Amino acid sequence: MKKTAGPNASDHEIYDSSIVIDGCAPVLMQDLLEWKRFYKSGVTAIVATVTTSDDMPGTIASLSQFHRLIESNPEELLLIESVDDIREAKRSKRLGLALQFQNGRPLGRDVGMVEVYRRLGVKTIQLCYNYRNNIGDGCLEPANSGLSVFGRAAIRAMNERNVLVDLSHTGERTTLEAMEISTRVDVFTHANARAVRDHPRNLTDEQIRTVAEKGGVVGLCGFPDFISTKPNPTMSDVMAHLEHMVGLVGIDHVAFGTDFFHGSDWAKYVEIGNWSRDDYPPPPWNYPLDGTNAIEFVPALRERGFTPHRHRQSPRRKLPARLHRRLVGDSARRPSFRTQPGRLYL
């Protein structure tokens, strides 16, 4: 294990000594071989989206593909099922895959499926994907209705089985009601600040403060239209969202989920009703941060006064113990990261 990078360390030394996790990586749905991009970049682990809209049979088929992928590449890939698996991925220089749903649709109307999917390695379930489902309203629903009766039961089941409740893509009222009844830490794996970019996929200050009060985090999203109205947003535009959130709730509650996705499937997603043309403009999309260029995030942080020394002295060091236990379902103990290398969260 490498030593912690000091305050005068180079960008590469900081990156190489850090555990780097992308909190949302849907691109593997398009092509499973995209894992190679992340692997070559030195990212420690990704939260890999299994589905955004499949029903039960389609979801099971996708899970089978992910498990076969990992089993076929044991020297490069590792299924993340515990905090120790994240450490092992870093130690062995493998890419960790933590499996996630970006929709509650695979549950159908059976809360028992939470346990089934947990046993199949799924440790994070997002409640909605833009539009209404059996759980509640997505963020693009104009009615902004809250949780359904089934949605409340689903959250209870997720809490009981230590499956992380992801609130991204979910309507404001639904997220606030979910955080009110959830007894565990909740997260927005990939979302930005509406105060910086007024977009329905982004979060109000109330949502950001509420998830932070519960000990959760917001993972900043790299999708260009959620960052800025500019056609080509820059890293500086990403940092504007980070600085706004840090000003609201502190760095302990800000992470990254780059949400990188190729534009080749845009027409399909519009056609099947997952996206609207107004809220998801057609490609080309120019991601300033796509999960594989994380090294560029280091100088951007330094320019704004976020030094390695400051990171180690800040409460952010508590983030792995809090979020990783929830992410991977390791509730048996709270690991100490005080003597481990610095962490760079993407």
Side-chain angles (χ1 to χ4, degrees):
M1 185 70 73
K2 297 181 179 180
K3 295 181 180 179
T4 302
N8 298 317
S10 70
D11 294 343
H12 283 282
E13 287 172 331
I14 294 171
Y15 184 79
D16 290 343
S17 66
S18 298
I19 285 179
V20 184
I21 301 175
D22 187 335
C24 183
V27 71
L28 271 69
M29 289 192 304
Q30 295 177 297
D31 184 356
L32 286 175
L33 295 182
E34 286 287 325
W35 69 266
K36 295 181 179 181
R37 297 173 64 251
F38 293 95
Y39 177 73
K40 291 177 182 178
S41 75
V43 170
T44 309
I46 59 175
V47 180
T49 302
V50 174
T51 180
T52 61
S53 56
D54 288 324
D55 56 12
M56 288 183 192
T59 299
I60 295 296
S62 294
L63 281 169
S64 173
Q65 292 178 354
F66 271 91
H67 281 282
R68 281 185 290 159
L69 174 71
I70 296 169
E71 291 172 1
S72 299
N73 298 276
E75 300 299 317
E76 295 89 8
L77 299 177
L78 178 67
L79 179 65
I80 299 300
E81 297 187 282
S82 71
V83 173
D84 285 341
D85 288 337
I86 297 173
R87 297 194 190 100
E88 177 58 21
K90 180 66 177 178
R91 187 201 65 79
S92 61
K93 297 183 179 181
R94 285 182 284 178
L95 174 67
L97 299 187
L99 303 183
Q100 170 218 32
F101 294 167
Q102 275 199 54
N103 200 333
R105 187 183 178 200
L107 299 178
R109 293 194 61 85
D110 182 0
V111 295
M113 291 304 296
V114 171
E115 173 64 12
V116 173
Y117 292 132
R118 186 193 69 80
R119 294 190 183 193
L120 292 174
V122 178
K123 301 300 179 69
T124 305
I125 298 178
Q126 184 177 287
L127 298 186
C128 305
Y129 191 83
N130 292 335
Y131 296 103
R132 182 174 298 155
N133 62 15
N134 289 334
I135 290 175
D137 270 11
C139 62
L140 299 185
E141 286 287 350
N144 191 31
S145 298
L147 281 171
S148 67
V149 172
F150 174 78
R152 294 171 184 271
I155 290 174
R156 286 194 296 269
M158 292 168 68
N159 287 166
E160 290 168 0
R161 289 156 181 83
N162 209 27
V163 173
L164 184 65
V165 175
D166 184 358
L167 303 168
S168 310
H169 286 271
T170 303
E172 181 179 4
R173 180 179 170 187
T174 302
T175 67
L176 294 173
E177 291 182 355
M179 288 186 281
E180 182 178 359
I181 70 167
S182 176
T183 59
R184 300 272 191 161
V185 174
D186 309 309
V187 298
F188 293 88
T189 57
H190 56 300
N192 294 334
R194 196 175 297 184
V196 178
R197 165 68 170 113
D198 188 7
H199 192 287
R201 260 286 279 119
N202 290 339
L203 307 179
T204 65
D205 287 357
E206 181 182 7
Q207 288 172 293
I208 296 168
R209 289 192 180 101
T210 303
V211 75
E213 287 170 0
K214 293 196 65 181
V217 300
V218 178
L220 296 180
C221 180
F223 187 74
D225 201 52
F226 304 160
I227 297 171
S228 171
T229 57
K230 301 176 185 177
N232 297 297
T234 65
M235 186 69 75
S236 180
D237 296 314
V238 175
M239 297 304 294
H241 289 272
L242 181 142
E243 290 182 310
H244 178 78
M245 292 190 188
V246 169
L248 282 177
V249 297
I251 197 170
D252 195 33
H253 303 285
V254 185
F256 270 83
T258 56
D259 197 25
F260 180 75
F261 201 71
H262 292 298
S264 56
D265 285 342
W266 176 82
K268 181 184 79 172
Y269 270 68
V270 171
E271 181 68 24
I272 66 176
N274 276 357
W275 297 344
S276 73
R277 294 176 179 269
D278 292 336
D279 297 306
Y280 288 80
W285 301 323
N286 297 294
Y287 282 73
L289 188 66
D290 64 10
T292 65
N293 62 339
I295 184 66
E296 298 176 18
F297 188 64
V298 179
L301 283 172
R302 283 182 138 170
E303 289 171 5
R304 288 157 180 81
F306 294 95
T307 66
H309 178 71
R310 176 179 171 184
H311 284 164
R312 291 199 305 275
Q313 296 303 318
S314 76
R316 187 184 178 95
R317 65 188 176 194
K318 300 176 184 175
L319 180 57
R322 178 187 303 126
L323 180 57
H324 290 173
R325 285 193 309 122
R326 296 293 301 118
L327 173 66
V328 300
D330 184 0
S331 59
R333 58 190 179 91
R334 179 182 295 274
S336 172
F337 286 82
R338 293 177 183 269
T339 60
Q340 300 296 327
R343 261 83 185 161
L344 176 62
Y345 290 91
L346 293 180

